[in-house]
Amino acid sequence: MLSRVAASFYWLSRYIERSDGILRMLKINYASSQDSVQGFSWEPVIRIFSGPDQELINRLKNDSRAVLKYLVIDKENANSILNIITLARENARSVQEHIPKDLWQCLNEYYHTVKEPRIAAGLKKDDPISILDVLIKQVMLYYGTAEITMERGQTRSFMNIGKYLERAIQSIDILDVKYGSINDNPNLLTDITYWKHLLQSIGGYELYQKTYRNGLEAENVIEQVVLNNDFPRSVIYSINNIQRYFDRLKNNSNVNDYREISFHIGKLQSNIKYSSVKSIGQVGLHQFLTHTKDDLYKIGSSLNEYYFANS
């Protein structure tokens, strides 16, 4: 497979996964903002998806509608849903001959839906949750179509590596920023609603209820988001799948390149697999998550160097 084609599928998948994470986070936090008796701050959400720009945070953090507009349709925000899906579509267009017609149409529909005037109008003055649901369904339709139409070859492996790499980084960022907020407000540590919203924003609340019988506790949340092999958005689940789909890329022509990256993935997988909430606490959660994210970035850089010819 050409490196250009592999890179396009990898980035297409990362952009789609990122859009899914942003939309789900916005939906849960908007609902939370409506239930909040005290002033609601969007600062953690802005930090996760737009970085530590304090001027931007101060300008938007108390304005729900402004945050929705900025993260969904703002053309000046490189990480808005509109710009992300535009990039996803451009990557798909560059390899259109390798994409099933149904999947291309599905991605096009997502792109045109984001651009519809009703989306901007709904975010501004109507019910934003129903608008976010429209876009979330577009992502779900994309994933379902990809699952039943993509051939089981290298293209799908690169797509899934991109998806799970992006997902692992998102789960780490969400956990890290949410726990970081506790430093400024220690009362959040025992705030059940706070942990419930964190789990809901990554689709993990129902599994938590089935797994843990003693209520919402911070240590159990860490265990589920980092170490739970059955939670589709946990860090270990994502890394296991990166390893699974990377193994399928091995062939006689790339043994040395494969071995180099496989070593990094396997090392990271072992570090997570043999960790516990207790050992993570001894290292420090922020430090543990930072090192894990750095290792994920190194895997992404190695893919660029060895498989996408971007060294």
Side-chain angles (χ1 to χ4, degrees):
M1 174 185 289
L2 294 173
S3 58
R4 174 186 64 81
V5 175
S8 292
F9 276 107
Y10 168 83
W11 281 107
L12 161 64
S13 198
R14 286 198 65 169
Y15 289 133
I16 294 291
E17 181 66 21
R18 192 177 305 170
S19 76
D20 188 50
I22 293 173
L23 291 167
R24 292 178 185 278
M25 179 64 84
L26 289 177
K27 178 181 175 180
I28 296 303
N29 277 271
Y30 183 80
S32 177
S33 73
Q34 300 304 292
D35 295 335
S36 178
V37 177
Q38 300 175 339
F40 182 87
S41 175
W42 285 86
E43 180 168 350
V45 177
I46 301 168
R47 282 189 181 278
I48 291 167
F49 295 113
S50 294
D53 184 340
Q54 197 58 50
E55 182 181 345
L56 176 73
I57 291 170
N58 291 338
R59 178 161 55 88
L60 299 179
K61 66 180 181 181
N62 298 317
D63 189 338
S64 297
R65 299 282 179 168
V67 172
L68 293 174
K69 178 177 180 290
Y70 180 74
L71 286 176
V72 178
I73 56 171
D74 193 331
K75 293 180 180 178
E76 302 302 316
N77 174 16
N79 213 30
S80 70
I81 299 295
L82 175 61
N83 284 329
I84 289 172
I85 296 308
T86 299
L87 290 172
R89 185 168 176 263
E90 288 174 1
N91 276 277
R93 185 193 295 279
S94 71
V95 291
Q96 193 173 346
E97 69 273 22
H98 300 278
I99 294 180
K101 184 179 178 181
D102 286 344
L103 190 61
W104 170 247
Q105 289 178 338
C106 185
L107 184 58
N108 260 324
E109 185 177 326
Y110 187 8
Y111 169 76
H112 289 295
T113 301
V114 176
K115 296 183 70 177
E116 287 179 4
R118 69 180 172 115
I119 299 296
L123 293 175
K124 184 177 180 181
K125 61 183 180 181
D126 296 332
D127 174 21
I129 290 182
S130 64
I131 297 298
L132 294 171
D133 276 338
V134 168
L135 298 177
I136 289 171
K137 285 179 181 177
Q138 289 292 327
V139 182
M140 294 172 70
L141 183 61
Y142 170 88
Y143 277 139
T145 306
E147 182 61 27
I148 62 175
T149 62
M150 284 297 297
E151 64 175 283
R152 269 47 181 169
Q154 288 188 336
T155 51
R156 186 167 178 268
S157 291
F158 280 111
M159 288 175 73
N160 281 321
I161 291 169
K163 177 173 76 173
Y164 287 112
L165 193 70
E166 182 71 29
R167 183 176 294 183
I169 291 171
Q170 276 188 32
S171 292
I172 287 171
D173 282 341
I174 291 169
L175 192 59
D176 198 18
V177 169
K178 286 286 188 180
Y179 262 82
S181 299
I182 293 173
N183 294 330
D184 299 325
N185 184 3
N187 291 332
L188 293 176
L189 195 59
T190 55
D191 186 338
I192 293 176
T193 305
Y194 187 75
W195 300 118
K196 180 180 177 180
H197 287 157
L198 187 156
L199 290 167
Q200 286 178 325
S201 65
I202 54 175
Y205 183 57
E206 290 183 11
L207 179 61
Y208 185 97
Q209 288 182 304
K210 294 175 183 174
T211 307
Y212 303 98
R213 303 295 182 185
N214 53 347
L216 281 159
E217 295 181 358
E219 290 187 349
N220 292 339
V221 173
I222 293 174
E223 183 176 80
Q224 175 161 325
V225 177
V226 179
L227 304 172
N228 190 324
N229 285 295
D230 296 323
F231 178 41
R233 292 184 183 275
S234 77
V235 178
I236 187 62
Y237 183 91
S238 298
I239 294 171
N240 286 343
N241 276 283
I242 292 170
Q243 179 74 77
R244 174 188 177 194
Y245 287 103
F246 185 71
D247 282 347
R248 298 181 183 183
L249 298 178
K250 185 178 181 181
N251 58 51
N252 292 332
S253 65
N254 66 359
V255 172
N256 291 333
D257 295 347
Y258 168 84
R259 189 177 298 150
E260 176 81 16
I261 300 177
S262 183
F263 171 78
H264 291 305
I265 298 173
K267 184 180 177 185
L268 176 58
Q269 189 180 31
S270 294
N271 285 342
I272 307 292
K273 181 178 178 180
Y274 295 110
S275 292
S276 64
V277 174
K278 183 178 180 181
S279 68
I280 292 172
Q282 290 170 342
V283 174
L285 179 63
H286 174 68
Q287 189 170 353
F288 177 86
L289 294 175
T290 300
H291 286 164
T292 302
K293 191 164 78 168
D294 287 345
D295 287 339
L296 288 164
Y297 281 139
K298 286 176 185 174
I299 292 169
S301 297
S302 296
L303 287 167
N304 277 331
E305 181 178 352
Y306 294 111
Y307 282 84
F308 306 152
N310 288 327
S311 59

